[in-house]
Amino acid sequence: MSHTSVGIRQTQKLRTRQALLDAALVLLEHQSLSSLGLREVTRAAGVTPTAFYRHFEDTAALGVALVEETLGSLHGLIAAVLVETGDSEQRLDRSVEVIARHVGAQPAHFRFIAREQHGGVGPVREAIAAQLRRFAEEVACALGQEPGAAGWSAEDLLMLGGLYVDHMVITTSTLLEAGPEGEEEVVRVARRRLRLVSIGREHWLDES
């Protein structure tokens, strides 16, 4: 078999996988993952049920892939913001901008995350929780490199990272509810709330 034919087959395989993800996402605009049928997805994607199993074990595995597609792409963007020069408030402001832009570009993906974070499909809940934990760890690591982190324990840095990630989740949900016309106000409030967290951070070690 030639390298060309192998490349063509691999491309077709990737296209089929993406078609299944895209079809599922459209269907999930109107229902939860727990109620999504495999045949619904394959019919919408224009492939056979047999083809589905070449890519996913079941709809839960498809849901986990959607989680990775949605949140996995954010890690690099947030990481880039965290290593930017400037003070922490500027970087936090930039992180809000990145999230708003990402939600605006992929609203269906983030509606899926918002709905399934506490949904009925265990592997998907766990995948979302794992991604959010990873975000918290990455933020904590970046904060730990700053001069203001002197004296902070690893546990407290992780707690602070978790606060910022929780804020990110709330902001995402609020952006989805507000829509494009309400984005500016949501971003403004999100920035003010982050500043409030930053002020508390500056005085965290005062008592000790």
Side-chain angles (χ1 to χ4, degrees):
M1 186 179 293
S2 70
H3 291 300
T4 301
S5 59
V6 171
I8 291 172
R9 288 184 62 184
Q10 184 63 20
T11 299
Q12 290 174 337
K13 185 177 180 179
L14 290 173
R15 284 177 178 169
T16 300
R17 184 180 189 277
Q18 191 61 50
L20 288 165
L21 290 170
D22 292 344
L25 198 61
V26 171
L27 293 167
L28 289 167
E29 285 281 299
H30 309 290
Q31 60 184 302
S32 66
L33 182 63
S34 60
S35 67
L36 185 67
L38 182 152
R39 291 186 179 276
E40 284 183 89
V41 178
T42 54
R43 185 165 54 248
V47 301
T48 65
T50 303
F52 179 94
Y53 289 111
R54 297 193 191 107
H55 301 275
F56 304 106
E57 181 179 340
D58 50 26
T59 54
L62 183 147
V64 170
L66 280 173
V67 172
E68 293 170 353
E69 183 177 73
T70 305
L71 297 180
S73 61
L74 260 178
H75 286 284
L77 295 172
I78 297 297
V81 171
L82 291 173
V83 299
E84 286 180 358
T85 56
D87 63 33
S88 59
E89 281 198 11
Q90 289 175 327
R91 293 201 299 277
L92 292 170
D93 281 352
R94 281 277 294 114
S95 69
V96 174
E97 292 174 9
V98 166
I99 292 164
R101 186 166 62 246
H102 221 54
V103 172
Q106 297 182 312
H109 283 81
F110 284 94
R111 276 193 288 272
F112 164 74
I113 296 294
R115 184 170 55 249
E116 298 299 331
Q117 184 179 2
H118 305 292
V121 181
V124 174
R125 288 198 314 273
E126 292 164 9
I128 294 171
Q131 289 282 353
L132 296 180
R133 280 196 304 272
R134 181 180 159 195
F135 274 121
E137 290 165 359
E138 290 168 350
V139 173
C141 182
L143 293 172
Q145 304 303 312
E146 297 181 354
W152 281 66
S153 68
E155 180 183 3
D156 283 358
L157 283 170
L158 185 58
M159 178 179 67
L160 181 60
L163 279 175
Y164 285 130
V165 172
D166 289 346
H167 181 271
M168 178 184 77
V169 172
I170 293 170
T171 299
T172 298
S173 297
T174 308
L175 284 166
L176 290 170
E177 293 172 5
E181 63 280 359
E183 179 181 317
E184 184 177 347
E185 177 63 11
V186 172
V187 168
R188 185 188 71 82
V189 172
R191 285 173 170 166
R192 293 194 70 208
R193 287 175 174 169
L194 280 177
R195 287 194 177 93
L196 184 58
V197 174
S198 295
I199 291 169
R201 173 190 171 193
E202 291 173 7
H203 298 283
W204 177 249
L205 298 179
D206 287 357
E207 290 186 7
S208 59

